Amino acid sequence: RYRQGLVSLGTNLYFGVADALGNLQLWQSQGEVNTSKVIGTGTADSNPTDLTLFNSNLYVSANDGVNGRALWKLNLSANTGELLKTFKSSQYPQYPTFLTTSGNYIYFYGYEDSTGVELWRTDGTNANTRITRDAVSATGNSLFIDSPYLSDFAGNLYYTATNASNGRELWRSDGSSGGTVMLKDIVPGENDSTPSAYTPVGATLFFIATDTEHGRELWKTDGTSFNTSLVKDILPGVASSEVKE
């Protein structure tokens, strides 16, 4: 999910590409010879990632050479970039990352020295770009770079996170602090069920998870804790069926 890929909006194609000097910058093209760089992300090597369309704007994680890696909102009609949010980070220069649209927000992994790696969201304005909840208080991390599992389902974000009392489990967020909660502690206590591969199908969100009785198998939820359950123990017992992601 670490994206530097092709994104289209209107008649333009946007993508990150390295020039002859190896500098990675955001470009736009209409398929003609007059392909041009997008203005507004600063340095010649801004290394744009996580290209994400939201409400007819393009959002990227990029480094302008002054503010470090930050969240940018691109005004495509004016061909300029707005620096939406900088992060006070001395340890993890790869954040923000894993931009994912859901409902009225873009969610992403964000890091600041005072909060650690947590779930953030934006509605496209600076005032409403903020952390959803500091699930692990102070500098602890509730999210991990090796667990990039986020999915929109029925207008809420479902993702994999931890807190001070539980391992990596299934969480849900509506963008508010009170609405950012662990949906189900599949493996009670500090051990992990590590949900992954979230896939919406109609009124059901399927995913892969591990418990102590069945190993790693296929699970499902309708968005409630009560109806979050194992679909089938394909390989009976504690051995895992190794459902492929």
Side-chain angles (χ1 to χ4, degrees):
R1 295 187 60 86
Y2 190 64
R3 291 169 291 181
Q4 274 175 284
L6 306 176
V7 173
S8 64
L9 181 63
T11 60
N12 287 310
L13 181 72
Y14 296 88
F15 53 97
V17 67
D19 61 19
L21 299 176
N23 295 321
L24 191 59
Q25 184 59 282
L26 187 66
W27 286 63
Q28 71 172 16
S29 174
Q30 292 184 336
E32 304 297 336
V33 176
N34 62 341
T35 295
S36 61
K37 286 183 182 179
V38 170
I39 302 169
T41 52
T43 181
D45 190 15
S46 63
N47 190 15
T49 66
D50 291 82
L51 279 64
T52 303
L53 290 174
F54 180 66
N55 291 341
S56 299
N57 290 300
L58 181 63
Y59 294 78
V60 300
S61 174
N63 189 334
D64 67 353
V66 177
N67 297 284
R69 182 154 291 276
L71 181 63
W72 288 76
K73 175 183 178 181
L74 301 184
N75 183 328
L76 301 178
S77 60
N79 203 28
T80 59
E82 174 189 352
L83 181 59
L84 197 60
K85 173 64 181 176
T86 60
F87 292 85
K88 300 173 182 177
S89 171
S90 61
Q91 296 187 58
Y92 299 106
Q94 67 266 48
Y95 297 100
T97 191
F98 305 133
L99 274 64
T100 304
T101 60
S102 176
N104 297 319
Y105 302 108
I106 296 177
Y107 294 85
F108 55 93
Y109 287 19
Y111 173 84
E112 290 199 324
D113 291 337
S114 60
T115 61
V117 183
E118 297 289 349
L119 183 69
W120 286 64
R121 55 86 160 168
T122 184
D123 67 355
T125 66
N126 184 272
N128 287 318
T129 300
R130 57 177 178 261
I131 192 171
T132 58
R133 175 182 173 183
D134 192 2
V136 179
S137 61
T139 60
N141 302 326
S142 73
L143 303 173
F144 299 91
I145 199 74
D146 64 349
S147 298
Y149 307 120
L150 308 93
S151 178
D152 171 61
F153 176 63
N156 291 314
L157 185 81
Y158 290 77
Y159 65 107
T160 301
T162 187
N163 61 22
S165 304
N166 307 98
R168 300 187 193 190
E169 298 291 350
L170 174 62
W171 283 62
R172 180 186 65 203
S173 180
D174 64 3
S176 68
S177 178
T180 300
V181 296
M182 183 174 65
L183 185 62
K184 190 176 184 71
D185 191 12
I186 295 172
V187 179
E190 296 181 354
N191 291 325
D192 304 325
S193 70
T194 316
S196 64
Y198 297 117
T199 305
V201 180
T204 302
L205 180 67
F206 292 92
F207 59 96
I208 304 169
T210 303
D211 70 7
T212 55
E213 297 180 28
H214 309 99
R216 193 155 186 82
E217 299 286 353
L218 183 65
W219 284 65
K220 66 177 181 178
T221 185
D222 66 356
T224 66
S225 179
F226 181 79
N227 287 322
T228 301
S229 61
L230 178 72
V231 174
K232 183 178 178 62
D233 190 9
I234 298 172
L235 183 58
V238 297
S240 301
S241 65
E242 299 297 338
V243 181
K244 299 302 181 184
E245 299 187 16

